[in-house]
Amino acid sequence: MTFTTPKRLQTLLQVALQRHPVPGQLWVGFSGGLDSTVLLHLLASCQIPVRALHVHHGLSANADRWLSHCQEFACHLSVPFTAVQIHVATGKGGLEQRARRARYRAFAQVMSEGDQILLGHHGDDQAETFLLRLMRGAGVLGLAGIAESRFLGEGRSLLRPLLGASRVELAAWAGDHGLTWIDDESNADESLDRNYLRHSVLPLLSARWPARQRVMRAVENLRESAELLQALALADLHGCGFRRERFGESLALERFTGLSLARRKNLLRYWSLQQGGKAPEWAPLQQALEQLGAAAADARIAVQLGGRVVRRYQGRLYLTPELARYLVKEGGEQRCWDGISELPLPGGGMLAPSPGWPGSQYRVRYRRGGERAQPSDRVHSQTLKKLLQERALEPWLRDRVPLVYRAGELVAVGDLFTCDVAGLAQTPPPRWWFSD
């Protein structure tokens, strides 16, 4: 019987919860494996109210049996149980990465503002992640490892309270309390990089050094360095004339290129993460910097970077979300608008009335080519293409600017201008923006 491990695990759990308190519901991501089984049992033993959340991927022939096991175990502990079935779509990244994204979408389905989900990652996971990122050439931020806590958006958060424990300690707790758990057959597949590290590399390293403890110490040092680099990046962000845009954010390109190469890289990494993207990998980061340096002053670039896009226009460096695809051929779909309420637009856009904008029956569509308009401050009409250039609308938004019609007549172009039409010439144009 192990006497020291239980107290240590309970202390790790309670200290982490005190360090990251939340006002809402606690959840546990409960796959039924060793890690989440021990975490759920620990919470129950400490009489901490929690709900178990099981995500049914359907990737294994045993998935239904795992669901039943998890439900029975939660019932045995008198813990409320919720299951969400998901579909892991094909797309970018490997199967493991796509399944992870699908799990996080499932978390968002059930969690409310102020809720927190606890995951059973431990120190061995931290060591595997460190080595995995090292082999992928990650920088300081990536090598700083798995964070104990992070926000998930909309007031939700994630907590990993057992990062300071080892897999051996969790197995000891499970053995002491007679717990049974699911062993996913895919965990033995060494064609997957993480499993190869777990089964072949880490045991070899641990035979010579205390590998997990050394990695944890390195991660702590790297995290301190990452915090210093983030502070520098924040100072550089505002020193480069940071500005929020209708869609994304921008910097003064001349100030950005005046920074050293290392600081430019550091700033782009930090900026992408601040916008909710991922830490950019080496190749696209290098590509973005090379294109910014080599392109002519008026050249357009669009480089994918950590789930965001680097662009340039009129002396500004833009970092934007990826533009959602929608029908733009022949103006795309038309939408009716009452001129009173907010109107969601395809691709994440929003349209809302400005002060004094009259309610009426409007139709909203997009450019088809050849349109002309007469802004209220002009004597003659001009092509819409020329007007958008004059108003310096970013090129990537010109096919997405909403055109507002009343009785077949163009009355407003996004938030750029109101047309010279009866009853509207002195009214500010509607508000147009993109939701996060």
Side-chain angles (χ1 to χ4, degrees):
M1 187 73 131
T2 304
F3 293 101
T4 56
T5 297
K7 182 177 179 181
R8 171 175 149 75
L9 292 182
Q10 288 174 328
T11 299
L12 283 173
L13 174 63
Q14 291 167 341
V15 167
L17 289 172
Q18 290 168 4
R19 192 160 47 232
H20 304 282
V22 293
Q25 173 71 54
L26 290 181
W27 297 81
V28 168
F30 184 40
S31 67
L34 170 65
D35 311 344
S36 61
T37 296
V38 169
L39 177 56
L40 189 62
H41 191 266
L42 271 169
L43 286 156
S45 70
C46 293
Q47 298 183 333
I48 297 171
V50 69
R51 296 184 67 93
L53 173 61
H54 178 77
V55 179
H56 186 303
H57 294 86
L59 295 175
S60 169
N62 298 312
D64 290 337
R65 182 170 59 83
W66 295 344
L67 171 60
S68 298
H69 168 88
C70 291
Q71 190 167 14
E72 291 171 7
F73 184 77
C75 181
H76 173 71
L77 296 178
S78 300
V79 171
F81 179 83
T82 299
V84 177
Q85 187 157 3
I86 61 173
H87 171 67
V88 181
T90 57
K92 294 181 180 179
L95 179 61
E96 184 179 7
Q97 185 180 1
R98 298 198 306 275
R100 179 181 178 276
R101 288 197 297 263
R103 279 197 300 277
Y104 278 76
R105 288 195 296 270
F107 296 165
Q109 286 180 34
V110 301
M111 294 174 67
S112 302
E113 184 175 350
D115 286 3
Q116 183 180 72
I117 188 160
L118 279 61
L119 302 182
H121 294 106
H122 46 73
D124 293 67
D125 294 319
Q126 184 76 282
E128 293 164 11
T129 299
F130 175 86
L131 291 173
L132 194 60
R133 292 178 179 176
L134 180 66
M135 292 301 102
R136 291 173 178 170
V140 171
L141 189 58
L143 293 177
I146 305 171
E148 181 182 61
S149 176
R150 72 179 181 88
F151 291 109
L152 296 178
E154 298 183 5
R156 302 182 295 257
S157 63
L158 177 151
L159 179 64
R160 301 178 176 96
L162 302 180
L163 281 179
S166 67
R167 183 180 285 112
V168 170
E169 289 177 284
L170 269 62
W173 174 277
D176 291 347
H177 294 86
L179 307 181
T180 58
W181 61 89
I182 293 165
D183 190 10
D184 187 337
E185 67 274 5
S186 68
N187 289 335
D189 181 4
E190 291 199 34
S191 68
L192 300 176
D193 292 342
R194 184 175 291 275
N195 289 341
Y196 174 70
L197 289 170
R198 178 179 302 166
H199 297 301
S200 295
V201 176
L202 271 169
L204 190 62
L205 292 174
S206 299
R208 187 175 183 93
W209 299 284
R212 183 181 63 83
Q213 293 89 336
R214 295 283 177 86
V215 167
M216 293 292 286
R217 187 186 306 164
V219 164
E220 289 176 9
N221 293 333
L222 287 164
R223 194 166 293 281
E224 289 180 4
S225 298
E227 289 174 0
L228 291 173
L229 288 172
Q230 287 177 347
L232 176 61
L234 180 60
D236 284 341
L237 190 69
H238 292 285
C240 288
F242 171 79
R243 191 170 76 195
R244 297 191 187 281
E245 303 289 352
R246 175 189 291 107
F247 184 66
E249 300 163 347
S250 74
L251 301 176
L253 185 57
E254 185 176 3
R255 296 189 201 176
F256 175 80
T257 54
L259 298 173
S260 69
L261 177 60
R263 286 172 70 169
R264 275 178 275 154
K265 288 181 178 180
N266 183 53
L267 177 49
L268 284 179
R269 290 191 192 99
Y270 173 81
W271 198 11
S272 176
L273 289 168
Q274 282 294 99
Q275 279 199 14
K278 299 176 292 185
E281 295 184 357
W282 182 87
L285 184 61
Q286 200 71 17
Q287 182 186 2
L289 291 168
E290 287 175 359
Q291 290 199 25
L292 286 169
D298 58 348
R300 299 179 190 175
I301 68 168
V303 181
Q304 302 288 325
L305 194 72
R308 292 295 185 266
V309 183
V310 172
R311 307 175 188 272
R312 65 181 292 173
Y313 179 60
Q314 292 195 340
R316 304 288 296 181
L317 167 62
Y318 287 77
L319 188 66
T320 74
E322 295 183 20
L323 283 165
R325 294 180 180 177
Y326 71 103
L327 182 64
V328 294
K329 186 178 180 182
E330 296 182 351
E333 62 179 282
Q334 293 191 35
R335 297 201 170 191
C336 296
W337 183 42
D338 59 11
I340 299 171
S341 55
E342 291 185 356
L343 177 68
L345 299 172
M350 296 291 292
L351 191 69
S354 59
W357 185 267
S360 186
Q361 293 182 355
Y362 300 96
R363 286 191 175 274
V364 179
R365 67 170 180 82
Y366 299 90
R367 294 174 63 196
R368 296 175 178 175
E371 293 93 348
R372 296 183 68 86
Q374 182 179 344
S376 57
D377 59 355
R378 297 290 178 91
V379 176
H380 302 290
S381 69
Q382 290 178 295
T383 64
L384 184 56
K385 179 180 179 180
K386 182 175 179 60
L387 287 167
L388 296 181
Q389 291 172 345
E390 288 182 0
R391 305 279 168 148
L393 180 64
E394 298 92 325
W396 49 91
L397 297 180
R398 291 176 189 170
D399 285 335
R400 296 171 186 255
V401 59
L403 309 182
V404 183
Y405 287 81
R406 185 180 63 184
E409 183 178 21
L410 180 61
V411 298
V413 176
D415 60 355
L416 301 178
F417 59 84
T418 304
C419 296
D420 188 16
V421 296
L424 284 174
Q426 302 304 315
T427 305
R431 294 184 295 120
W432 172 46
W433 74 97
F434 285 80
S435 57
D436 294 334

